[in-house]
């Protein structure tokens, strides 16, 4: 356990800085002892099992209701899956027979049955990231029933009596209501990735969280002081006073930035000399619509639909998809919602084969991903396009294809889009015939061919996350080459410029929906390069807006022109630093500067 300062790196899934004592919850599985029972005890053993199952279902229903009321209907559905499993006659009924046949105690038989279910489950979904998550849910369910059988309180996290950082191996969905406890001000877990249930729930509740720190419950002592930086995915254990002061400053500034700049969030994003751009938000779930409104984004510039597929454990029906897209479009109308067709593969989940793409392909980022899957399996893509088109009758919806790398591919995708329209027409289903199509520019070839691609679409949205990795040949998720992942490399910036120029020649607009759009250091540069739309996480909308409102477009253009001549990222950042010092009001520049220093 760390006595001295230790910096732990994990996955930051919800922004914000917290400095508080750790509240560490360690726990393992419940030990089950095999016991023989007499024939006379069979009935009471069966009764004990039914009671424990009934009690578990009641507890889960209660939790479900609380989650639905406080976090939303969607996260509550996670609990439904657990309730359904306990009503599965194939799993539960044999246990009643086994009690009589084997004359063994209910705990033993139930635990054995569940370990078979989990083993079966893992075999049929080998390597699938989301289903590993589901494995946790199955263990959670097993422990909950066992605790009820044995009369122990295994699931209670307890209530810290002062503001604390919950440090826990894993937080099951059924336990997420515990986060409503006001004294849990941040979360650190050993397991869970950016798309895990807990990531989604912390984001919805806006509780800073860092997930995936291995052995966090061993490395962090109960009650020890920790700094949780949910933005950078860092946890500092036993920080010295200097470090605390530094983060305290950063936290104050970020808090002030949130409240101060929030006031600006309802103002239009117009430069001093009257150039108007659009700032929209990137979201993944209907629950995030509230954040889009709160932070003053003008609609959604990127709706990542993969998460819907991940949550569903498969491809949701056209009906289900149409319902979700319509709900979002309707809530944000008249603002646009740009729905990106599924981008699975790469480092994201590949459900179609029930397996993880890294297992199937040596180079998944260069492999079977996104639109490539849609073209190979046109039925899936058509189903999604029909669902999106149906939502176009309920709000302002646009469609975007990911990972386009050549014109043939785009034409094929458009062919599938036309088929989708025809099918809906044939069946008399209402949709907006003028629904606009756009593409992501995230492969260098697409940026270079932008003037050709522009003829077929109504807008471009630059996916800088991938454009950087493909231009610089640096895996965006590999820590070993993280320093080579240069967001400000002039090669990337020139591709952005080429894209904008090509779009303007065809009178279409260009947005950026990669992380760079929400990086305040990049705002002047992107503005000067001619970006029309900035789409970023909702929380960053006000800051980007405040920078745009405090500069002249002509100044941003001159800065971008100068930057395009640079030979290195270092030079680019030097020019930007100077620009922020000279052109941006001190309070805003300070926030940007300090955010970079730590
Ligand atoms: C991008 O690549 O910049 C992007 C927005 O898409 P994703 O991060 O989902 O790959
Ligand atoms: Mg991408």
């Amino acid at each position: 356990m760390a006595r001295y300062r230790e910096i732990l790196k994990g996955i930051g899934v919800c922004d914000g800085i917290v400095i508080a004592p750790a509240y560490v919850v360690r726990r393992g599985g419940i030990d089950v002892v095999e016991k023989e029972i007499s024939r006379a005890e069979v009935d009471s053993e069966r009764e004990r099992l039914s009671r424990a199952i009934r009690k578990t279902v009641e507890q889960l229903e209660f939790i479900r209701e609380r989650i639905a009321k406080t976090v939303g209907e969607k996260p509550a559905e996670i609990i439904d899956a657990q309730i359904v499993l306990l009503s599965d006659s194939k799993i539960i009924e044999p246990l009643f027979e086994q009690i009589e046949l084997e004359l063994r105690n209910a705990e033993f038989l139930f635990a054995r049955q569940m370990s078979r279910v989990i083993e079966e489950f893992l075999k049929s979904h080998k390597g699938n990231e989301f289903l590993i998550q589901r494995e946790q849910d199955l263990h959670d369910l097993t422990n909950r029933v066992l605790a009820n059988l044995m009369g122990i309180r295994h699931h209670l996290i307890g209530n810290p009596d002062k503001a604390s950082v919950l440090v826990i191996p894993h937080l099951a969905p059924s336990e997420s209501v515990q986060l409503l406890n006001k004294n849990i001000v941040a979360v650190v877990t050993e397991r869970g990735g950016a798309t895990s249930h807990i990531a989604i729930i912390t984001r919805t509740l806006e509780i800073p969280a860092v997930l995936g720190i291995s052995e966090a419950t061993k490395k962090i002592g109960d009650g020890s002081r920790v700094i949780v930086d949910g933005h950078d995915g860092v946890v500092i254990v036993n920080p010295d006073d200097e470090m605390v002061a530094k983060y305290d400053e950063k936290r104050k500034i970020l808090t002030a930035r949130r409240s101060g700049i929030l006031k600006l969030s309802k103002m239009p994003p117009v430069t001093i000399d009257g150039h108007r751009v659009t700032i929209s938000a990137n979201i993944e779930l209907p629950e995030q619509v509230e954040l889009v409104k709160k932070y003053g984004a003008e609609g959604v510039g990127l709706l990542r639909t993969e998460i819907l597929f991940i949550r569903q454990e498969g491809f949701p029906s056209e009906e289900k998809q149409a319902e979700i897209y319509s709900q979002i479009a309707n809530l944000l109308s008249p603002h646009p919602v740009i729905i990106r067709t599924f981008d699975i593969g790469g480092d994201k989940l590949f459900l179609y084969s029930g397996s993880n793409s890294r297992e199937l392909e040596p180079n998944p980022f260069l492999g079977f991903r996104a639109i490539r899957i849609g073209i190979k399996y046109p039925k899936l893509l058509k189903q999604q396009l029909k669902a999106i088109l149906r939502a176009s009758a309920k709000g302002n919806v646009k469609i975007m294809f990911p990972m386009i790398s050549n014109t043939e591919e785009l034409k094929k995708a458009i062919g599938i889009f036309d088929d989708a329209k025809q099918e809906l027409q044939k069946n008399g289903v209402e949709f907006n015939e003028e629904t606009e199509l756009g593409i992501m520019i995230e492969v260098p070839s697409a940026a270079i061919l932008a003037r050709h691609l522009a003829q077929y679409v109504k807008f471009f949205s630059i996916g800088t996350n991938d454009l950087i990795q493909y231009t610089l040949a640096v895996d965006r998720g590999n820590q070993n080459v993280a320093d080579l992942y240069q967001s400000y490399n002039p090669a990337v910036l020139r591709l952005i410029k080429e894209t904008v120029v090509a779009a303007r020649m065809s009178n279409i607009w260009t947005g950026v929906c990669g992380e760079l759009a929400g990086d305040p250091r990049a705002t002047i540069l992107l503005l000067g390069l001619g970006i029309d739309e900035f789409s970023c996480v909702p929380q960053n909308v006000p800051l980007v807006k405040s920078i745009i409102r405090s500069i002249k477009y002509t100044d941003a253009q001159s800065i971008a022109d100068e930057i395009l001549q640079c030979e290195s990222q270092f030079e680019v950042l030097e020019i930007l630093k100077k620009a922020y010092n000279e052109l941006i009001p001190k309070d805003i520049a300070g926030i940007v500067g300090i955010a970079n220093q730590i």
Side-chain angles (χ1 to χ4, degrees), residues 193-205:
T195 62
S196 60
H197 303 320
I198 189 61
I200 296 162
I201 286 163
T202 56
R203 270 200 291 267
T204 311
L205 295 175

Side-chain angles (χ1 to χ4, degrees), residues 8-15 129 187-196 198-199 202-203 207-214 228-235 477 479:
L8 308 172
K9 188 86 186 87
I11 304 161
V13 295
C14 183
D15 228 350
E129 185 202 318
V187 176
V188 175
T189 67
E190 296 180 350
R191 296 191 286 277
T195 62
S196 60
I198 189 61
T202 56
R203 270 200 291 267
I207 297 177
V210 178
L211 310 186
I213 295 187
S214 72
V228 177
D229 182 342
H231 180 264
D232 292 337
V234 171
V235 175
Q479 278 305 315

Side-chain angles (χ1 to χ4, degrees), residues 302 304 340 343 348 369 402-403 440 442 463-467 469-470 476 513:
L302 168 63
R304 289 185 168 95
R340 179 176 77 180
D343 179 7
K348 298 181 191 165
R369 177 183 172 189
M403 275 283 286
M440 294 209 44
E442 50 185 347
T464 46
N465 305 341
D466 277 314
L467 186 64
Q469 84 160 344
Y470 292 130
R476 66 194 252 193
C513 64

Side-chain angles (χ1 to χ4, degrees), residues 256-273:
R257 160 181 126 181
R258 286 215 171 143
S259 50
I261 297 180
L262 199 57
K263 291 193 198 112
L264 273 181
S265 67
K266 300 286 177 277
M267 316 276 263
V270 187
T271 61
I272 297 174
D273 50 353

